[in-house]
Structures are given as C-alpha cells and as structure tokens.
Amino acid sequence: MMVDREIATPYYALDTETVIDYVRGRSELTSVFHADEPIEAVEVGDGNLNLVFKVSALADPQRTVVVKQALPYVRLVGESWPLSTDRARLEAQSLQLQNQLVPEYSPHLYLYDPDLYLMVMQNLNKHIIMRQGLINRIQYPHFPEDIGHFLARTLAQTTDFVLGYQEKKDEVARFINREMCKISEDLIFTEPYRKDDQNLYHAELEPQVLALQSDESLRVEVAHLKDKFTTHAQALLHGDLHTGSIMVNQSDTYVIDSEFAFYGPIGFDVGAVIGNLLLSYAAHEVRTQEEVHRADFRRYLTDSIITLWTVFEREFAHLAWENDNLHAFPEAYRRDYLRSVLQDAAGFAGAKMIRRIIGLAGVADIRGIEDVTERSIAASLALNIGQRLILERHHITTIEELIAVATSGTPSYPWKG
Ligand code: SR1
Ligand code: MG
C-alpha cells in the first residue's frame, strides 16, 4: 500500500522553543494541548544518546508528553562519534509492538515522525528511573512480577513458536539494527576484555582489571556469549534493559528506551535485568553501612530475581507452547530450552556487570560512589560476581543456584594478586 506523505521536512535538532511549535502543529496531540494555550518545555535527557523534552500545558502540568529525538551522534561522546538517527525508527517500531503486547508496562506512543526521527509519548510523571530508587534503597513491591510478565509476553510472543517461521523471518528483517548492535558488541563483549582507549575505570582498579583481562577461560566464555548475541535470533529483545530503562513507583512498572531492539537471545534481556539488580547488590556493599538495612535490601534484590524468573518461566512456557497441539515440542525439550535461557541469562548478567565497571558507559550505582576506596570495593565485588556468573553458568540449573553463585562473590580490593 502506498502511503501518502507530505514533502519531507529536513531534519533539524529541536530545542526548548521549537519543540513547542512542533507539538502545537501535530494533530495527534490535540487531545492533550488546547489550541494557542501556553505550553512549556524542558530538556531532561540524561542518557547517553538522545534529546528528551518534557512538554506540558502551563495551566495544567498533568497534560504533558515526552518528545524524544535521536541526534545524529552519540551524545555522551559528541559529534566525533556519528550514529544513525534510524535508531528512532527501531525504537518506535518496538514501542508500538510493546503498546500491543504489554500496554500496562509501556508508555503510550502518540506519534513517530520519520523526518525528524522523533517520537512523542506518554510522560511518566508519577514515576522515577528505577536505578535512582535502588540507589536510595527503595523497594518496589510490584516490580518483580511486572518485569517477569513484561519479559515473558514480549519475548515469547515474538518467537518462532508464536509467530510461525515465516512471519518471524520478516520481523527479524524489520528489526535489523546494525549500528546499535555494534555498540553492544564493542562495549559489552570486546572492549572490557582488552586494553582499549574507550575503557573508563579508576586507577585503583587496574590490577584486578588486568588480571580479569588475562583470564583466558573468561575470554573464551565471553567469546561464546558474543557469538550467541550476534547469531541467536530467538525473539525480539528490548536490547538495553538496565534499571535506567525502567520507570517505577509503588504501584506500576514501565519499560522505556528500546532503541537497541533487535532479534537476539532471550537470555540477553533477562540477564540485563538480573545483572543490573546485582550491580545494586554490589553497590550496597558500601552504600549501606548498617548491616541490617544492607541485608534487608539485598534480600529484596535477590528475591526480586527469583520472582521475576519464576513468573517469566511459567508465563513464557504457557504463551510459547499452549497451542502446540501436535506435541512438536516435548516436555523435555521445553525444560532444556528454559534451562539454556537461564544459563544464558546468568552469562549475560555477568557480562553486563563487567562492562559497567570497565567499559565506557558506567552506572551511577557504582560510579556515583564518591569515596574512591568505597567505589573500588563495590566495583571489585561487581567484577567478581560478573566473572563467576560467566564462568559457572553451565552448572546453573535453577534460579536459586544462580543466586547462590552471585552471592558467594566477595570484593578483592585491595588487590593481593
Ligand atoms: C555509547 S552508548 C553507551 C550505552 O548507553 C546505552 O544505555 C547502552 O547501554 C549503551 O551501551
Ligand atoms: Mg537508553
């Protein structure tokens, strides 16, 4: 079908004034803003890549949207690192699908503009970025079940089991995401394991980093994980599901920022959530000095991992195989499949932890610890947990065993060799 398009508007980056003219001119937003009423905009982008504006009616700040626009370069680094604005299309496609599959966990998409590479979506103004909440030791009671449902529904329903082999291939093609996958390939699986100018860690960590980089068995396992990441198109992933891509409050959970979406291994998304909860676990080694509070919060984190996996596993199996009337996928195969997702999740969780300590893009949980000795202890613990998860993942058969591997890690700072 031909789509009638106006003459394309040449791309320009919005600012806090032009974004107001922009929202006024969009018919999709007449349910939000009244004609000619005063509107205000603030730029709030604190991520690594994009411009993000909160745009609200001055008379009623509850009438509000977010405008997210892709810049033609990596914001974290600047114009010296060009990056295709097409990632905005991938994110809009993926958000549109999430609006269908998991509307209760994804912000409503009002529009995608293919000329300006921007999306306008629901402003989650009653929620905060989960990473910040975890730093402040806030527990979110609904999060573990919510994220388990999100993972099961988005992942199971984009597999061959549900889509069928033909439609799934079309979807794989629609979600080819070369440039964003390259960022992950380099930043997660390559650069942390070699001396690389892009790596970014503090000098005190150097001896442990050098030891990790010369651990041959670890490098072999990371090469296997990279191979799985690049070749194993099991389902449509979010692709960057860390706790900075999750917004929460005491009653709901929303997932945002899926510009890294592509067809990859299911364990990569599950492992991203687990790895980021374990980064918080490592950070509270020093962030929370009071032992009772530390143990209580860590119990919340590890119980969350157990719950999210339990919910995911049960619902994934139901969605993926409920219509398998011909018994093409016997019980033993289904068990094997889910066990290998669990082992992948353990490995990817470990890789995600290590990249956030050694690689370019860190996380505030650890890099925000001001005292350098304390930061080194937390970072060292995160590296050790990550390393163990990668190396021991083949022996993990239950989520409790994954937790046991993770929680037996200890910091090795100061480094004694
Ligand atoms: C250069 S982009 C760095 C990181 O930010 C995103 O959140 C992804 O995790 C990416 O690896
Ligand atoms: Mg992001």
Side-chain angles (χ1 to χ4, degrees):
M1 187 180 75
M2 286 288 289
V3 178
D4 247 3
R5 288 270 312 273
E6 306 279 321
I7 296 169
T9 314
Y11 175 88
Y12 62 96
L14 292 169
D15 59 31
T16 49
E17 285 178 12
T18 52
V19 73
I20 293 174
D21 297 334
Y22 182 82
V23 299
R24 282 191 201 289
R26 294 302 308 211
S27 57
E28 300 90 334
L29 300 176
T30 48
S31 62
V32 182
F33 301 115
H34 308 151
D36 299 329
E37 74 169 329
I39 294 175
E40 68 173 352
V42 274
E43 209 276 313
V44 294
D46 60 353
N48 296 324
L49 300 172
N50 305 294
L51 289 172
V52 182
F53 300 92
K54 289 191 171 174
V55 185
S56 316
L58 209 56
D60 175 9
Q62 297 310 314
R63 286 190 284 111
T64 175
V65 295
V66 161
V67 178
K68 177 174 178 181
Q69 183 179 33
L71 287 165
Y73 54 85
V74 174
R75 187 175 185 174
L76 173 71
V77 174
E79 294 185 33
S80 61
W81 185 345
L83 187 63
S84 165
T85 42
D86 190 44
R87 65 184 185 276
R89 173 183 61 85
L90 276 305
E91 180 171 355
Q93 280 178 188
S94 135
L95 181 55
Q96 198 173 31
L97 197 57
Q98 288 164 3
N99 277 189
Q100 288 165 25
L101 299 178
V102 281
E104 63 276 61
Y105 306 127
S106 65
H108 174 69
L109 176 67
Y110 288 100
L111 69 98
Y112 170 61
D113 182 331
D115 297 330
L116 295 188
Y117 296 100
L118 68 77
M119 294 186 309
V120 181
M121 57 192 153
Q122 179 185 356
N123 182 0
L124 300 167
N125 56 350
K126 297 183 178 62
H127 305 79
I128 65 162
I129 293 287
M130 186 174 188
R131 187 180 305 290
Q132 202 48 54
L134 295 182
I135 288 172
N136 294 327
R137 231 183 322 112
I138 301 173
Q139 301 186 13
Y140 298 98
H142 294 276
F143 160 76
E145 288 209 11
D146 288 350
I147 203 72
H149 290 307
F150 174 89
L151 288 164
R153 292 175 197 167
T154 56
L155 295 167
Q157 295 183 99
T158 54
T159 56
D160 289 277
F161 303 122
V162 172
L163 291 181
Y165 296 104
Q166 302 300 305
E167 188 183 339
K168 186 321 195 92
K169 286 180 177 61
D170 294 340
E171 286 295 275
V172 172
R174 201 163 72 92
F175 280 97
I176 293 290
N177 199 348
R178 291 169 56 141
E179 283 200 46
M180 305 308 274
C181 282
K182 179 166 179 5
I183 291 179
S184 298
E185 287 147 18
D186 293 345
L187 268 66
I188 301 172
F189 301 106
T190 306
E191 292 166 7
Y193 301 93
R194 69 181 185 204
K195 189 171 159 43
D196 194 292
D197 287 346
Q198 282 220 125
N199 287 339
L200 196 61
Y201 53 88
H202 53 290
E204 286 72 5
L205 223 52
E206 178 87 344
Q208 188 175 351
V209 170
L210 291 179
L212 181 145
Q213 289 173 340
S214 56
D215 179 342
E216 196 56 22
S217 53
L218 181 69
R219 296 181 61 223
V220 169
E221 289 304 327
V222 171
H224 282 300
L225 288 168
K226 184 176 184 179
D227 176 65
K228 201 152 231 184
F229 178 82
T230 53
T231 64
H232 207 50
Q234 276 182 317
L236 178 63
L237 308 187
H238 174 283
D240 195 25
L241 197 43
H242 55 85
T243 46
S245 298
I246 299 172
M247 295 190 71
V248 280
N249 62 21
Q250 290 300 305
S251 48
D252 351 285
T253 307
Y254 282 91
V255 172
I256 59 170
D257 276 5
S258 53
E259 64 223 307
F260 285 79
F262 78 111
Y263 268 80
I266 287 169
F268 187 76
D269 267 6
V270 180
V273 181
I274 294 174
N276 276 270
L277 294 176
L278 291 173
L279 281 166
S280 177
Y281 178 100
H284 285 285
E285 179 79 7
V286 296
R287 283 187 178 275
T288 302
Q289 299 291 340
E290 178 69 52
E291 220 171 305
V292 182
H293 294 325
R294 187 196 306 148
D296 179 56
F297 192 64
R298 282 180 159 175
R299 173 56 63 109
Y300 165 73
L301 294 170
T302 53
D303 282 353
S304 293
I305 293 172
I306 293 172
T307 302
L308 77 85
W309 172 261
T310 308
V311 169
F312 164 79
E313 187 181 38
R314 187 179 56 229
E315 192 172 7
F316 183 97
H318 174 68
L319 291 170
W321 298 307
E322 67 181 332
N323 294 323
D324 181 22
N325 301 327
L326 300 175
H327 303 289
F329 303 104
E331 193 54 38
Y333 166 82
R334 298 176 190 189
R335 270 200 307 276
D336 287 351
Y337 186 98
L338 285 165
R339 191 189 315 110
S340 92
V341 171
L342 178 65
Q343 293 175 350
D344 290 352
F348 288 124
K352 292 276 198 172
M353 295 181 78
I354 291 172
R355 64 78 57 110
R356 295 296 186 192
I357 305 300
I358 300 179
L360 171 71
V363 287
D365 316 51
I366 307 281
R367 290 203 181 156
I369 299 169
E370 275 177 28
D371 181 89
V372 74
T373 302
E374 291 188 350
R375 196 183 332 135
S376 303
I377 292 169
S380 165
L381 175 57
L383 287 180
N384 285 336
I385 294 173
Q387 200 162 358
R388 294 180 77 116
L389 285 172
I390 293 172
L391 289 173
E392 295 176 34
R393 72 185 192 286
H394 301 295
H395 307 296
I396 292 173
T397 59
T398 64
I399 191 65
E400 288 77 13
E401 287 170 7
L402 185 153
I403 297 295
V405 170
T407 55
S408 56
T410 52
S412 38
Y413 182 85
W415 183 251
K416 296 190 182 62

